[in-house]
Structures are given as C-alpha cells and as structure tokens.
Amino acid sequence: MTNHETRQMSTDMTCQELVELITEYLEGTLAPTERMRFDAHVRTCPGCAAYIEQMRTTIGILGKLSEESMSAGAERDLLATFRNWKSGGAADGDARRT
Amino acid sequence: MNSTAVGSPTDELELVLALRAGDEDAFTKLVNRYQSSMLRVALTYVGSRAVAEEVVQEAWLGVLNGIGRFERRSQLKTWIMRIVVNRAKRRGSEEARSVPLSVTQPSREDLGPSVDPDRFRGPDDPWAGHWRSSPPNWAAMPEPRLLSREMLNEVRRALEGLPEKQREVITLRDVLGYSGAEVCNVLTISETNQRVLLHRARSRVRAAVERYLQP
C-alpha cells in the first residue's frame, strides 16, 4: 500500500461517520472495504479508539443490570399454578387443557 | 439430567419431556433458569413491577398449556420468551389504553444522530467531521465508579426512556446477553432492523453514561 493510498483511506472516514458504523463494526457485519476504512481510521484516531472503548464499557454496564427476582409470594403462586395444571384444572383463558 | 449443558438440545428435550409428564422438578428448574429474564423482559413493556409479575405468571401458564404442542423448531428459551413478549405487549397496550398519562413512552421514531453534531468540527474546518475534543478514555476509570449503584440506576433510567422497540432489543441483547439471531427470533424482526435498533439504543445509553460521568 502506498502512502497516498494510506492517507486517502484514513481521511476517507470521519469520526462523525464512524460513530454511526460502530454497531455494525462490533457485530462484525461491516462490508470488508468499510471494515478496512474503519480500522484505518481508528489506527490514527485516539478519539475514536476511546469512543469504541466507551461503547464496550456501556455494554458491560448493561450486562450488570440483569438480576431481577420475583417476590416470594409469586414463587408460591407459581407452584400452585403448576399443581393445578398438573391435576388438569388449569385453564388459560379459553384454552383448556385436554 | 444434570450432566448435560444448560440450554443444549439434549438438556432441553429432557426438560420438555419431563414437563409434559408433569415433573415438578423440571418445572422448578425451568423457573429458576428463566424467571429472572422473563421478569426483565416483561418490565420492558409494562409500567409496574406488580403487573410484570402477573405477566410472568400468565406466561408460565401459557408455557404449561402449550408445552404439549411445543415442536422444538425453535429453542425452548426463545419459545418461552416469545410467550412473555406477547403477553407483556398485550398488557402494555391495555395499560396504555386505560391510563391516559401512560408511564410507557409513546412510540416515536428516533432518527437523530448518535452523537451531538456539535462534538464534531464544522464543514469549514480542514478537519471537518472529526472530534473537536477527544472523548475521554473510560478504560482508565476505576471499576467501582463505573459500576456504582448510582450508575446502574442512571442506566436503568436511560433504558426506561428509550422508545419501546429500542428498549426490547437492547434488553435482550445487552442486559440478558442474547445473540442477535435469538433476538430476531424472539421479536420476529429482521437482522438489519435489529442492528439499527440496537445501534440507536446503545448510542443513547452511552450518551447517558457520559452525562453521568461528566464532572
């Protein structure tokens, strides 16, 4: 790759474009040429490298939200629902189990 | 049935068969495995925790009543989540009709840019479209700050403020860790649509985190 090509590729994508392509980048769905432009930009742009890191951090924080638990009463109700269903008594609207 | 990997086809088949036979342990196992995710998903559509719990209860009854017809064309997890989504959506729209000032956001299209355009240099600048000042590097930030209770609450609020379609995708993908393909199956949307919604949602949540971290 000549210097000219390198320069052209790295000036090709702006930071403003990059932030709109980041999800496709992280999902691995960028077309190969776009991917090359993306990588070339990030190599010379600490700002965008930081932005990608921010996005990864954001995804990491979202993953920490997952714990939700039902109230104790709800668990009891569920077992009652199950036993009722098992004995053939449960009806879900009009869809009675046969 | 404890030597097989969770969610593997053999493990699922065993659970399905046991449940059809009325095995309470199989039911408890499924409840322990999926209950928390189901509640999280239900909360995406309905305004209160109490209603979300009711939705989950209804969904389990739906699972029990439908297990005889479950044909394993989809994963058990996907099938269960689809039941939750359908029930929760129904409840959500009933709520929206009965409560004029709904707590759920009106569905609105969100086509704005991912980052405030003022953050980039203008068209007259030789570096047009590049950062005016570089975004801060969060990798250098201490983990207790990033994962503090206030931060998690901030992110929760940001999720609640998203349009519903974005919220459902990001909840399944990033909060519950589903793959893109699984999300498409649960929500019956295309991969492109999934990606677009995920992108908007993530960009907005990132912006909320940034606002919170700003000194």
Side-chain angles (χ1 to χ4, degrees):
Chain A
M1 192 183 291
T2 66
N3 276 340
H4 176 69
E5 275 166 346
T6 314
R7 193 162 54 241
Q8 222 184 16
M9 274 178 52
S10 53
T11 51
D12 218 351
M13 185 176 287
T14 64
C15 308
Q16 203 163 3
E17 285 175 74
L18 185 138
V19 300
E20 300 301 345
L21 293 173
I22 188 167
T23 305
E24 291 213 53
Y25 171 79
L26 294 174
E27 296 279 281
T29 52
L30 272 186
T33 47
E34 291 284 84
R35 169 93 197 195
M36 278 170 68
R37 290 174 68 226
F38 192 104
D39 285 337
H41 179 102
V42 175
R43 268 198 297 276
T44 57
C45 181
C48 283
Y51 187 85
I52 296 170
E53 191 54 42
Q54 288 189 354
M55 202 55 113
R56 291 207 164 101
T57 304
T58 303
I59 296 166
I61 298 172
L62 282 161
K64 300 287 178 195
L65 295 182
S66 66
E67 279 313 306
E68 285 289 347
S69 42
M70 298 276 276
S71 55
E75 300 277 349
R76 268 198 316 276
D77 290 349
L78 256 188
L79 272 186
T81 301
F82 177 79
R83 289 176 185 149
N84 192 26
W85 168 79
K86 194 180 165 183
S87 65
D92 178 19
D94 50 4
R96 226 189 143 77
R97 187 171 177 261
T98 46
Chain B
M1 67 165 75
N2 29 28
S3 60
T4 30
V6 167
S8 75
T10 333
D11 163 73
E12 282 202 348
L13 179 60
E14 282 177 7
L15 278 173
V16 169
L17 294 177
L19 192 58
R20 280 181 186 161
D23 180 346
E24 190 168 310
D25 283 347
F27 181 66
T28 311
K29 200 175 242 182
L30 276 181
V31 169
N32 289 337
R33 195 181 289 175
Y34 296 123
Q35 182 92 309
S36 151
S37 307
M38 290 164 80
L39 187 58
R40 164 69 63 190
V41 168
L43 280 166
T44 307
Y45 304 91
V46 301
S48 81
R49 213 187 158 80
V51 176
E53 290 203 4
E54 277 173 36
V55 166
V56 172
Q57 297 272 4
E58 280 175 28
W60 277 118
L61 188 55
V63 167
L64 291 171
N65 286 330
I67 196 73
R69 295 187 301 272
F70 173 64
E71 287 173 4
R72 306 185 62 242
R73 270 196 295 258
S74 56
Q75 266 189 303
L76 184 60
K77 173 171 91 169
T78 312
W79 179 72
I80 292 176
M81 284 309 160
R82 230 187 259 163
I83 294 177
V84 180
V85 168
N86 288 338
R87 310 246 154 183
K89 271 190 178 164
R90 203 181 307 153
R91 280 302 285 270
S93 55
E94 281 166 16
E95 276 185 341
R97 272 197 302 274
S98 60
V99 187
L101 285 173
S102 173
V103 275
T104 55
Q105 294 272 327
S107 60
R108 57 198 145 87
E109 266 319 297
D110 167 28
L111 300 164
S114 299
V115 174
D116 181 353
D118 287 349
R119 297 287 295 273
F120 302 102
R121 293 164 191 268
D124 300 334
D125 194 296
W127 287 91
H130 289 256
W131 299 105
R132 277 184 204 281
S133 66
S134 182
N137 186 355
W138 294 350
M141 211 160 271
E143 192 161 282
R145 175 114 201 264
L146 283 173
L147 297 176
S148 68
R149 185 197 298 257
E150 296 87 68
M151 170 67 88
L152 296 181
N153 283 336
E154 204 57 39
V155 169
R156 235 174 246 130
R157 261 197 295 282
L159 278 183
E160 283 163 16
L162 292 175
E164 184 176 286
K165 283 184 189 327
Q166 293 181 26
R167 191 169 58 235
E168 56 189 6
V169 169
I170 199 172
T171 299
L172 288 167
R173 272 308 293 278
D174 293 340
V175 181
L176 298 175
Y178 281 42
S179 71
E182 285 172 331
V183 173
C184 292
N185 277 332
V186 171
L187 301 176
T188 35
I189 55 175
S190 71
E191 289 206 21
T192 309
N193 201 2
Q194 191 262 153
R195 232 166 19 238
V196 169
L197 292 165
L198 182 64
H199 178 69
R200 292 187 188 147
R202 279 180 178 170
S203 300
R204 279 167 153 238
V205 175
R206 188 213 62 85
V209 172
E210 182 177 48
R211 277 194 301 278
Y212 174 75
L213 287 174
Q214 247 151 28

